[in-house]
Amino acid sequence: MSWRSDHICIELIAGSRKPSNVCWAFILFLGSLGFLLVGTSSYLGRNFIPFFPSQQIIFFPQGIVMSFYGIAGLFISSYLWCTISWNVGSGYDRFDIKEGIVCIFRWGFPGKNRRIFLRFLMKDIQSIRIEVKEGIYARRVLYMEIRGQGSIPLTRTDENLTLREIEQKAAELAYFLRVPIEVF
């Protein structure tokens, strides 16, 4: 989602609060809870899951392993729920031609450096770079090259934009900023 006028361009960046992340966190939570219940059922000899007879699972070694998987899954699930609630990775990119300033803001993990705020002069922008890696793990990322400071990613690495979408996004931004496009 973006907003554009003659002098200002604001691109909103989606963070961890995506339906797919919520779905995976929920599935992982339920699965790990099931593993933990089956492991606990085998230890206590009681059936906590009615449709799964726990008498078939011997506590040592199957019950211990299932309990371990359940606890590990709950830790990973709680990590995912925390990143979703903190909305890690969300923010905005603001390009202001009138003032000649580029502002990049992202939310990180809680702590002293939770707010990530970068500010550059527009005259220091060297180019907009598209990095394309095809194959099993296809990756298409849009970068902004800053003189003397390196590359700054403008899109998420897991955004999975098509080649046409990333080219269009790069062309619009390069035209707005009046800088060239580089392709790698």
Side-chain angles (χ1 to χ4, degrees), residues 128-157:
I128 298 297
R129 180 168 57 98
I130 303 172
E131 184 178 295
V132 178
K133 290 183 181 176
E134 297 298 334
I136 295 174
Y137 301 107
R139 185 177 154 183
R140 299 174 187 103
V141 184
L142 190 64
Y143 292 94
M144 182 173 57
E145 294 285 331
I146 307 291
R147 269 187 206 96
Q149 306 224 357
S151 306
I152 297 178
L154 297 177
T155 56
R156 294 175 53 99
T157 54

PDB file of all heavy atoms in Angstrom, residues 128-157:
ATOM      1  N   ILE A 128      18.480   2.792  -7.739  1.00  0.00           N
ATOM      2  CA  ILE A 128      17.567   1.770  -7.231  1.00  0.00           C
ATOM      3  C   ILE A 128      18.037   0.463  -7.854  1.00  0.00           C
ATOM      4  O   ILE A 128      18.234   0.377  -9.062  1.00  0.00           O
ATOM      5  CB  ILE A 128      16.106   2.066  -7.632  1.00  0.00           C
ATOM      6  CG1 ILE A 128      15.643   3.398  -7.036  1.00  0.00           C
ATOM      7  CG2 ILE A 128      15.197   0.934  -7.213  1.00  0.00           C
ATOM      8  CD1 ILE A 128      15.618   3.445  -5.526  1.00  0.00           C
ATOM      9  N   ARG A 129      18.244  -0.555  -7.012  1.00  0.00           N
ATOM     10  CA  ARG A 129      18.800  -1.811  -7.503  1.00  0.00           C
ATOM     11  C   ARG A 129      17.802  -2.940  -7.294  1.00  0.00           C
ATOM     12  O   ARG A 129      17.197  -3.058  -6.231  1.00  0.00           O
ATOM     13  CB  ARG A 129      20.102  -2.136  -6.773  1.00  0.00           C
ATOM     14  CG  ARG A 129      20.745  -3.421  -7.224  1.00  0.00           C
ATOM     15  CD  ARG A 129      22.149  -3.575  -6.699  1.00  0.00           C
ATOM     16  NE  ARG A 129      22.275  -3.524  -5.260  1.00  0.00           N
ATOM     17  CZ  ARG A 129      22.349  -4.591  -4.466  1.00  0.00           C
ATOM     18  NH1 ARG A 129      22.321  -5.794  -4.981  1.00  0.00           N
ATOM     19  NH2 ARG A 129      22.486  -4.434  -3.170  1.00  0.00           N
ATOM     20  N   ILE A 130      17.652  -3.758  -8.321  1.00  0.00           N
ATOM     21  CA  ILE A 130      16.812  -4.950  -8.236  1.00  0.00           C
ATOM     22  C   ILE A 130      17.737  -6.159  -8.189  1.00  0.00           C
ATOM     23  O   ILE A 130      18.590  -6.320  -9.059  1.00  0.00           O
ATOM     24  CB  ILE A 130      15.887  -5.087  -9.464  1.00  0.00           C
ATOM     25  CG1 ILE A 130      15.014  -3.858  -9.621  1.00  0.00           C
ATOM     26  CG2 ILE A 130      15.046  -6.337  -9.346  1.00  0.00           C
ATOM     27  CD1 ILE A 130      14.225  -3.853 -10.903  1.00  0.00           C
ATOM     28  N   GLU A 131      17.564  -6.989  -7.192  1.00  0.00           N
ATOM     29  CA  GLU A 131      18.325  -8.230  -7.099  1.00  0.00           C
ATOM     30  C   GLU A 131      17.371  -9.390  -7.344  1.00  0.00           C
ATOM     31  O   GLU A 131      16.391  -9.555  -6.621  1.00  0.00           O
ATOM     32  CB  GLU A 131      18.964  -8.360  -5.721  1.00  0.00           C
ATOM     33  CG  GLU A 131      19.848  -9.577  -5.590  1.00  0.00           C
ATOM     34  CD  GLU A 131      20.504  -9.642  -4.235  1.00  0.00           C
ATOM     35  OE1 GLU A 131      21.319  -8.748  -3.948  1.00  0.00           O
ATOM     36  OE2 GLU A 131      20.188 -10.568  -3.476  1.00  0.00           O
ATOM     37  N   VAL A 132      17.656 -10.188  -8.366  1.00  0.00           N
ATOM     38  CA  VAL A 132      16.799 -11.301  -8.732  1.00  0.00           C
ATOM     39  C   VAL A 132      17.609 -12.586  -8.687  1.00  0.00           C
ATOM     40  O   VAL A 132      18.639 -12.699  -9.349  1.00  0.00           O
ATOM     41  CB  VAL A 132      16.200 -11.108 -10.147  1.00  0.00           C
ATOM     42  CG1 VAL A 132      15.345 -12.298 -10.539  1.00  0.00           C
ATOM     43  CG2 VAL A 132      15.397  -9.829 -10.215  1.00  0.00           C
ATOM     44  N   LYS A 133      17.149 -13.541  -7.899  1.00  0.00           N
ATOM     45  CA  LYS A 133      17.743 -14.877  -7.844  1.00  0.00           C
ATOM     46  C   LYS A 133      16.632 -15.873  -8.114  1.00  0.00           C
ATOM     47  O   LYS A 133      15.687 -15.974  -7.331  1.00  0.00           O
ATOM     48  CB  LYS A 133      18.386 -15.142  -6.487  1.00  0.00           C
ATOM     49  CG  LYS A 133      19.629 -14.333  -6.240  1.00  0.00           C
ATOM     50  CD  LYS A 133      20.268 -14.701  -4.916  1.00  0.00           C
ATOM     51  CE  LYS A 133      21.491 -13.844  -4.688  1.00  0.00           C
ATOM     52  NZ  LYS A 133      22.106 -14.094  -3.383  1.00  0.00           N
ATOM     53  N   GLU A 134      16.734 -16.577  -9.191  1.00  0.00           N
ATOM     54  CA  GLU A 134      15.724 -17.569  -9.546  1.00  0.00           C
ATOM     55  C   GLU A 134      16.182 -18.947  -9.077  1.00  0.00           C
ATOM     56  O   GLU A 134      17.327 -19.153  -8.737  1.00  0.00           O
ATOM     57  CB  GLU A 134      15.499 -17.574 -11.070  1.00  0.00           C
ATOM     58  CG  GLU A 134      14.954 -16.272 -11.611  1.00  0.00           C
ATOM     59  CD  GLU A 134      13.591 -15.895 -11.069  1.00  0.00           C
ATOM     60  OE1 GLU A 134      12.819 -16.791 -10.671  1.00  0.00           O
ATOM     61  OE2 GLU A 134      13.287 -14.695 -11.026  1.00  0.00           O
ATOM     62  N   GLY A 135      15.275 -19.888  -9.086  1.00  0.00           N
ATOM     63  CA  GLY A 135      15.594 -21.253  -8.682  1.00  0.00           C
ATOM     64  C   GLY A 135      14.591 -21.739  -7.658  1.00  0.00           C
ATOM     65  O   GLY A 135      13.467 -21.255  -7.569  1.00  0.00           O
ATOM     66  N   ILE A 136      15.024 -22.702  -6.858  1.00  0.00           N
ATOM     67  CA  ILE A 136      14.132 -23.275  -5.856  1.00  0.00           C
ATOM     68  C   ILE A 136      13.732 -22.216  -4.839  1.00  0.00           C
ATOM     69  O   ILE A 136      12.574 -22.096  -4.476  1.00  0.00           O
ATOM     70  CB  ILE A 136      14.819 -24.466  -5.147  1.00  0.00           C
ATOM     71  CG1 ILE A 136      15.053 -25.581  -6.154  1.00  0.00           C
ATOM     72  CG2 ILE A 136      13.965 -24.970  -3.993  1.00  0.00           C
ATOM     73  CD1 ILE A 136      15.850 -26.741  -5.611  1.00  0.00           C
ATOM     74  N   TYR A 137      14.698 -21.461  -4.366  1.00  0.00           N
ATOM     75  CA  TYR A 137      14.423 -20.381  -3.415  1.00  0.00           C
ATOM     76  C   TYR A 137      14.522 -19.044  -4.145  1.00  0.00           C
ATOM     77  O   TYR A 137      15.480 -18.307  -3.981  1.00  0.00           O
ATOM     78  CB  TYR A 137      15.408 -20.436  -2.242  1.00  0.00           C
ATOM     79  CG  TYR A 137      15.350 -21.733  -1.488  1.00  0.00           C
ATOM     80  CD1 TYR A 137      16.363 -22.672  -1.597  1.00  0.00           C
ATOM     81  CD2 TYR A 137      14.262 -22.027  -0.686  1.00  0.00           C
ATOM     82  CE1 TYR A 137      16.306 -23.870  -0.917  1.00  0.00           C
ATOM     83  CE2 TYR A 137      14.190 -23.216   0.000  1.00  0.00           C
ATOM     84  CZ  TYR A 137      15.219 -24.134  -0.121  1.00  0.00           C
ATOM     85  OH  TYR A 137      15.156 -25.320   0.557  1.00  0.00           O
ATOM     86  N   ALA A 138      13.506 -18.755  -4.955  1.00  0.00           N
ATOM     87  CA  ALA A 138      13.498 -17.510  -5.726  1.00  0.00           C
ATOM     88  C   ALA A 138      13.446 -16.320  -4.775  1.00  0.00           C
ATOM     89  O   ALA A 138      12.764 -16.347  -3.756  1.00  0.00           O
ATOM     90  CB  ALA A 138      12.303 -17.482  -6.658  1.00  0.00           C
ATOM     91  N   ARG A 139      14.205 -15.303  -5.124  1.00  0.00           N
ATOM     92  CA  ARG A 139      14.278 -14.114  -4.278  1.00  0.00           C
ATOM     93  C   ARG A 139      14.351 -12.887  -5.161  1.00  0.00           C
ATOM     94  O   ARG A 139      15.211 -12.790  -6.025  1.00  0.00           O
ATOM     95  CB  ARG A 139      15.517 -14.229  -3.395  1.00  0.00           C
ATOM     96  CG  ARG A 139      15.647 -13.142  -2.405  1.00  0.00           C
ATOM     97  CD  ARG A 139      16.849 -13.379  -1.543  1.00  0.00           C
ATOM     98  NE  ARG A 139      17.279 -12.083  -1.059  1.00  0.00           N
ATOM     99  CZ  ARG A 139      18.329 -11.884  -0.333  1.00  0.00           C
ATOM    100  NH1 ARG A 139      19.093 -12.867  -0.004  1.00  0.00           N
ATOM    101  NH2 ARG A 139      18.632 -10.674   0.062  1.00  0.00           N
ATOM    102  N   ARG A 140      13.447 -11.946  -4.912  1.00  0.00           N
ATOM    103  CA  ARG A 140      13.433 -10.677  -5.648  1.00  0.00           C
ATOM    104  C   ARG A 140      13.330  -9.553  -4.623  1.00  0.00           C
ATOM    105  O   ARG A 140      12.317  -9.418  -3.958  1.00  0.00           O
ATOM    106  CB  ARG A 140      12.261 -10.647  -6.608  1.00  0.00           C
ATOM    107  CG  ARG A 140      12.324 -11.746  -7.638  1.00  0.00           C
ATOM    108  CD  ARG A 140      11.076 -11.781  -8.488  1.00  0.00           C
ATOM    109  NE  ARG A 140      11.099 -12.931  -9.350  1.00  0.00           N
ATOM    110  CZ  ARG A 140      10.395 -14.036  -9.144  1.00  0.00           C
ATOM    111  NH1 ARG A 140       9.595 -14.121  -8.113  1.00  0.00           N
ATOM    112  NH2 ARG A 140      10.482 -15.049  -9.979  1.00  0.00           N
ATOM    113  N   VAL A 141      14.400  -8.763  -4.537  1.00  0.00           N
ATOM    114  CA  VAL A 141      14.460  -7.715  -3.524  1.00  0.00           C
ATOM    115  C   VAL A 141      14.817  -6.394  -4.186  1.00  0.00           C
ATOM    116  O   VAL A 141      15.628  -6.345  -5.106  1.00  0.00           O
ATOM    117  CB  VAL A 141      15.519  -8.052  -2.435  1.00  0.00           C
ATOM    118  CG1 VAL A 141      15.500  -7.015  -1.331  1.00  0.00           C
ATOM    119  CG2 VAL A 141      15.275  -9.431  -1.859  1.00  0.00           C
ATOM    120  N   LEU A 142      14.212  -5.324  -3.700  1.00  0.00           N
ATOM    121  CA  LEU A 142      14.464  -3.976  -4.184  1.00  0.00           C
ATOM    122  C   LEU A 142      15.339  -3.249  -3.168  1.00  0.00           C
ATOM    123  O   LEU A 142      15.035  -3.233  -1.974  1.00  0.00           O
ATOM    124  CB  LEU A 142      13.126  -3.253  -4.349  1.00  0.00           C
ATOM    125  CG  LEU A 142      13.119  -1.914  -5.049  1.00  0.00           C
ATOM    126  CD1 LEU A 142      13.559  -2.071  -6.489  1.00  0.00           C
ATOM    127  CD2 LEU A 142      11.729  -1.321  -4.990  1.00  0.00           C
ATOM    128  N   TYR A 143      16.461  -2.686  -3.640  1.00  0.00           N
ATOM    129  CA  TYR A 143      17.394  -1.975  -2.773  1.00  0.00           C
ATOM    130  C   TYR A 143      17.531  -0.523  -3.210  1.00  0.00           C
ATOM    131  O   TYR A 143      17.316  -0.196  -4.371  1.00  0.00           O
ATOM    132  CB  TYR A 143      18.800  -2.599  -2.841  1.00  0.00           C
ATOM    133  CG  TYR A 143      18.902  -3.972  -2.249  1.00  0.00           C
ATOM    134  CD1 TYR A 143      18.781  -5.106  -3.034  1.00  0.00           C
ATOM    135  CD2 TYR A 143      19.155  -4.132  -0.890  1.00  0.00           C
ATOM    136  CE1 TYR A 143      18.891  -6.363  -2.491  1.00  0.00           C
ATOM    137  CE2 TYR A 143      19.276  -5.394  -0.344  1.00  0.00           C
ATOM    138  CZ  TYR A 143      19.142  -6.509  -1.149  1.00  0.00           C
ATOM    139  OH  TYR A 143      19.253  -7.753  -0.599  1.00  0.00           O
ATOM    140  N   MET A 144      17.940   0.315  -2.273  1.00  0.00           N
ATOM    141  CA  MET A 144      18.288   1.690  -2.568  1.00  0.00           C
ATOM    142  C   MET A 144      19.783   1.829  -2.266  1.00  0.00           C
ATOM    143  O   MET A 144      20.219   1.567  -1.144  1.00  0.00           O
ATOM    144  CB  MET A 144      17.466   2.651  -1.701  1.00  0.00           C
ATOM    145  CG  MET A 144      17.735   4.103  -1.977  1.00  0.00           C
ATOM    146  SD  MET A 144      16.605   5.209  -1.093  1.00  0.00           S
ATOM    147  CE  MET A 144      16.856   4.745   0.598  1.00  0.00           C
ATOM    148  N   GLU A 145      20.559   2.211  -3.287  1.00  0.00           N
ATOM    149  CA  GLU A 145      22.004   2.382  -3.134  1.00  0.00           C
ATOM    150  C   GLU A 145      22.286   3.807  -2.657  1.00  0.00           C
ATOM    151  O   GLU A 145      21.894   4.771  -3.307  1.00  0.00           O
ATOM    152  CB  GLU A 145      22.717   2.147  -4.466  1.00  0.00           C
ATOM    153  CG  GLU A 145      22.631   0.735  -4.982  1.00  0.00           C
ATOM    154  CD  GLU A 145      23.528  -0.218  -4.235  1.00  0.00           C
ATOM    155  OE1 GLU A 145      24.575   0.221  -3.720  1.00  0.00           O
ATOM    156  OE2 GLU A 145      23.174  -1.401  -4.162  1.00  0.00           O
ATOM    157  N   ILE A 146      22.983   3.921  -1.525  1.00  0.00           N
ATOM    158  CA  ILE A 146      23.339   5.211  -0.952  1.00  0.00           C
ATOM    159  C   ILE A 146      24.845   5.382  -1.061  1.00  0.00           C
ATOM    160  O   ILE A 146      25.603   4.479  -0.694  1.00  0.00           O
ATOM    161  CB  ILE A 146      22.926   5.298   0.539  1.00  0.00           C
ATOM    162  CG1 ILE A 146      21.458   4.949   0.728  1.00  0.00           C
ATOM    163  CG2 ILE A 146      23.244   6.659   1.111  1.00  0.00           C
ATOM    164  CD1 ILE A 146      20.491   5.935   0.175  1.00  0.00           C
ATOM    165  N   ARG A 147      25.286   6.510  -1.579  1.00  0.00           N
ATOM    166  CA  ARG A 147      26.728   6.782  -1.718  1.00  0.00           C
ATOM    167  C   ARG A 147      27.441   6.677  -0.379  1.00  0.00           C
ATOM    168  O   ARG A 147      27.075   7.338   0.578  1.00  0.00           O
ATOM    169  CB  ARG A 147      26.944   8.178  -2.289  1.00  0.00           C
ATOM    170  CG  ARG A 147      27.019   8.186  -3.766  1.00  0.00           C
ATOM    171  CD  ARG A 147      27.415   9.556  -4.308  1.00  0.00           C
ATOM    172  NE  ARG A 147      26.866   9.645  -5.652  1.00  0.00           N
ATOM    173  CZ  ARG A 147      25.720  10.210  -5.973  1.00  0.00           C
ATOM    174  NH1 ARG A 147      25.008  10.797  -5.053  1.00  0.00           N
ATOM    175  NH2 ARG A 147      25.299  10.214  -7.218  1.00  0.00           N
ATOM    176  N   GLY A 148      28.462   5.847  -0.341  1.00  0.00           N
ATOM    177  CA  GLY A 148      29.275   5.712   0.852  1.00  0.00           C
ATOM    178  C   GLY A 148      28.645   4.951   2.000  1.00  0.00           C
ATOM    179  O   GLY A 148      29.254   4.793   3.041  1.00  0.00           O
ATOM    180  N   GLN A 149      27.404   4.473   1.828  1.00  0.00           N
ATOM    181  CA  GLN A 149      26.730   3.779   2.930  1.00  0.00           C
ATOM    182  C   GLN A 149      26.229   2.399   2.537  1.00  0.00           C
ATOM    183  O   GLN A 149      25.757   1.665   3.390  1.00  0.00           O
ATOM    184  CB  GLN A 149      25.575   4.628   3.439  1.00  0.00           C
ATOM    185  CG  GLN A 149      26.018   6.003   3.810  1.00  0.00           C
ATOM    186  CD  GLN A 149      25.431   6.478   5.105  1.00  0.00           C
ATOM    187  OE1 GLN A 149      24.642   5.814   5.727  1.00  0.00           O
ATOM    188  NE2 GLN A 149      25.850   7.643   5.524  1.00  0.00           N
ATOM    189  N   GLY A 150      26.261   2.038   1.261  1.00  0.00           N
ATOM    190  CA  GLY A 150      25.843   0.702   0.841  1.00  0.00           C
ATOM    191  C   GLY A 150      24.394   0.629   0.408  1.00  0.00           C
ATOM    192  O   GLY A 150      23.785   1.624   0.009  1.00  0.00           O
ATOM    193  N   SER A 151      23.848  -0.567   0.514  1.00  0.00           N
ATOM    194  CA  SER A 151      22.488  -0.856   0.053  1.00  0.00           C
ATOM    195  C   SER A 151      21.525  -0.945   1.230  1.00  0.00           C
ATOM    196  O   SER A 151      21.857  -1.511   2.263  1.00  0.00           O
ATOM    197  CB  SER A 151      22.450  -2.184  -0.685  1.00  0.00           C
ATOM    198  OG  SER A 151      23.387  -2.205  -1.708  1.00  0.00           O
ATOM    199  N   ILE A 152      20.321  -0.449   1.007  1.00  0.00           N
ATOM    200  CA  ILE A 152      19.261  -0.543   2.010  1.00  0.00           C
ATOM    201  C   ILE A 152      18.073  -1.241   1.357  1.00  0.00           C
ATOM    202  O   ILE A 152      17.564  -0.774   0.339  1.00  0.00           O
ATOM    203  CB  ILE A 152      18.852   0.849   2.516  1.00  0.00           C
ATOM    204  CG1 ILE A 152      20.050   1.474   3.198  1.00  0.00           C
ATOM    205  CG2 ILE A 152      17.666   0.744   3.440  1.00  0.00           C
ATOM    206  CD1 ILE A 152      19.829   2.835   3.703  1.00  0.00           C
ATOM    207  N   PRO A 153      17.644  -2.385   1.908  1.00  0.00           N
ATOM    208  CA  PRO A 153      16.499  -3.087   1.319  1.00  0.00           C
ATOM    209  C   PRO A 153      15.202  -2.303   1.514  1.00  0.00           C
ATOM    210  O   PRO A 153      14.937  -1.793   2.597  1.00  0.00           O
ATOM    211  CB  PRO A 153      16.463  -4.423   2.063  1.00  0.00           C
ATOM    212  CG  PRO A 153      17.225  -4.203   3.302  1.00  0.00           C
ATOM    213  CD  PRO A 153      18.189  -3.094   3.055  1.00  0.00           C
ATOM    214  N   LEU A 154      14.412  -2.231   0.459  1.00  0.00           N
ATOM    215  CA  LEU A 154      13.135  -1.521   0.526  1.00  0.00           C
ATOM    216  C   LEU A 154      11.948  -2.470   0.563  1.00  0.00           C
ATOM    217  O   LEU A 154      10.844  -2.059   0.908  1.00  0.00           O
ATOM    218  CB  LEU A 154      12.997  -0.567  -0.661  1.00  0.00           C
ATOM    219  CG  LEU A 154      14.025   0.560  -0.727  1.00  0.00           C
ATOM    220  CD1 LEU A 154      13.826   1.380  -1.980  1.00  0.00           C
ATOM    221  CD2 LEU A 154      13.948   1.443   0.504  1.00  0.00           C
ATOM    222  N   THR A 155      12.156  -3.715   0.173  1.00  0.00           N
ATOM    223  CA  THR A 155      11.088  -4.712   0.232  1.00  0.00           C
ATOM    224  C   THR A 155      11.513  -5.828   1.168  1.00  0.00           C
ATOM    225  O   THR A 155      12.697  -6.057   1.385  1.00  0.00           O
ATOM    226  CB  THR A 155      10.796  -5.314  -1.158  1.00  0.00           C
ATOM    227  OG1 THR A 155      11.997  -5.859  -1.687  1.00  0.00           O
ATOM    228  CG2 THR A 155      10.234  -4.288  -2.103  1.00  0.00           C
ATOM    229  N   ARG A 156      10.544  -6.528   1.685  1.00  0.00           N
ATOM    230  CA  ARG A 156      10.838  -7.671   2.553  1.00  0.00           C
ATOM    231  C   ARG A 156      11.357  -8.820   1.702  1.00  0.00           C
ATOM    232  O   ARG A 156      10.923  -8.996   0.570  1.00  0.00           O
ATOM    233  CB  ARG A 156       9.571  -8.106   3.288  1.00  0.00           C
ATOM    234  CG  ARG A 156       9.069  -7.088   4.266  1.00  0.00           C
ATOM    235  CD  ARG A 156       7.759  -7.528   4.862  1.00  0.00           C
ATOM    236  NE  ARG A 156       7.818  -8.860   5.420  1.00  0.00           N
ATOM    237  CZ  ARG A 156       7.985  -9.132   6.712  1.00  0.00           C
ATOM    238  NH1 ARG A 156       8.104  -8.134   7.553  1.00  0.00           N
ATOM    239  NH2 ARG A 156       8.018 -10.363   7.150  1.00  0.00           N
ATOM    240  N   THR A 157      12.247  -9.600   2.255  1.00  0.00           N
ATOM    241  CA  THR A 157      12.793 -10.725   1.490  1.00  0.00           C
ATOM    242  C   THR A 157      11.769 -11.830   1.300  1.00  0.00           C
ATOM    243  O   THR A 157      11.883 -12.625   0.378  1.00  0.00           O
ATOM    244  CB  THR A 157      14.038 -11.315   2.190  1.00  0.00           C
ATOM    245  OG1 THR A 157      13.688 -11.649   3.526  1.00  0.00           O
ATOM    246  CG2 THR A 157      15.181 -10.323   2.176  1.00  0.00           C
TER     247      THR A 157
END
